[in-house]
């Protein structure tokens, strides 16, 4: 479980292995409506284990997914008042999408996820910094969130690109 694999339908991650040996794979190379990923069930002989992609090899969807995973973990850490690990994880989330280059074909969903990750993670990292009394970092993260909000507000009604 958790291995990165390829099969005839693309690349994905093993989610489980059933008692009969069937491998459940969540394909990362396909998207359905509402950003849903495709699950497939294959014989072990139909999949090949590969190394995990580096951040540089990920497409925009994969980088946004990575950032959302970091954001979820950071939110959990924050709710447990683990501010230092939460701060580090929020920073990883922002870093995952910092230099994302989407194009005119990028879906509205991925654009929205990108904005949500950048704004909420910068804001939440600023809040963690306040809790840790790291004032310079708090100012930096908070100003980043405000800059992004200002840019978003100035684009209201227009396409974000």
């Amino acid at each position: 479980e958790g291995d990165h694999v390829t099969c005839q339908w693309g690349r994905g991650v093993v989610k489980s292995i059933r008692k009969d040996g069937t491998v459940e794979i969540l394909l990362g190379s396909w998207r359905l409506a509402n950003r849903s990923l495709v699950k497939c069930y294959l014989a072990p002989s139909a999949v090949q284990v590969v190394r995990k992609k580096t951040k540089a090899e990920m497409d925009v969807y994969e980088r946004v997914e990575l950032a959302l995973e970091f954001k979820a973990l950071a939110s959990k850490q924050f709710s447990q008042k683990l501010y230092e690990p939460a701060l580090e994880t929020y920073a990883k989330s922002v870093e995952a999408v910092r230099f994302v280059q989407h194009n005119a074909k990028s879906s509205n969903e991925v654009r929205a996820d990108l904005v949500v990750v950048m704004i909420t993670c910068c804001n939440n990292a600023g809040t963690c910094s306040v809790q840790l009394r790291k004032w310079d970092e708090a100012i930096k993260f908070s100003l980043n969130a405000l800059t992004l909000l200002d840019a978003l507000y100035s684009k209201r009604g227009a396409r974000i690109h």
Side-chain angles (χ1 to χ4, degrees):
E1 293 180 25
D3 285 339
H4 288 250
V5 296
T6 60
C7 65
Q8 71 184 62
W9 291 284
R11 191 174 177 121
V13 176
V14 174
K15 287 299 174 188
S16 68
I17 300 173
R18 294 179 167 188
K19 290 179 183 178
D20 66 357
T22 302
V23 181
E24 177 187 358
I25 300 170
L26 192 59
L27 292 176
S29 53
W30 288 49
R31 295 289 183 289
L32 298 175
N34 298 322
R35 298 172 260 183
S36 299
L37 295 176
V38 174
K39 278 186 189 177
C40 62
Y41 301 88
L42 301 169
S45 60
V47 299
Q48 179 180 0
V49 176
V50 294
R51 70 171 172 73
K52 187 175 180 177
K53 283 185 178 181
T54 65
K55 204 171 11 171
E57 294 171 321
M58 293 179 180
D59 65 20
V60 64
Y61 292 97
E62 292 165 326
R63 289 185 70 161
V64 168
E65 282 177 20
L66 177 65
L68 289 170
E69 288 172 15
F70 283 137
K71 180 179 176 278
L73 174 60
S75 295
K76 185 176 180 180
Q77 293 166 328
F78 184 87
S79 69
Q80 296 170 346
K81 299 184 190 252
L82 302 171
Y83 300 118
E84 190 67 46
L87 175 59
E88 291 171 14
T89 309
Y90 281 127
K92 285 181 184 178
S93 183
V94 170
E95 186 59 34
V97 293
R98 181 179 305 265
F99 299 109
V100 165
Q101 295 293 318
H102 61 83
N103 57 35
K105 294 179 184 177
S106 296
S107 70
N108 287 336
E109 289 86 1
V110 79
R111 292 168 192 265
D113 285 345
L114 183 60
V115 170
V116 166
V117 164
M118 291 296 290
I119 292 171
T120 58
C121 288
C122 283
N123 183 61
N124 295 348
T127 304
C128 288
S129 298
V130 167
Q131 293 295 327
L132 296 167
R133 301 195 183 311
K134 294 183 176 184
W135 309 119
D136 289 340
E137 285 188 43
I139 291 168
K140 178 184 76 170
F141 282 116
S142 300
L143 286 175
N144 284 343
L146 286 172
T147 301
L148 291 165
L149 284 169
D150 284 344
L152 185 61
Y153 183 77
S154 71
K155 287 279 201 176
R156 68 188 180 280
R159 186 169 172 90
I160 298 171
H161 185 63

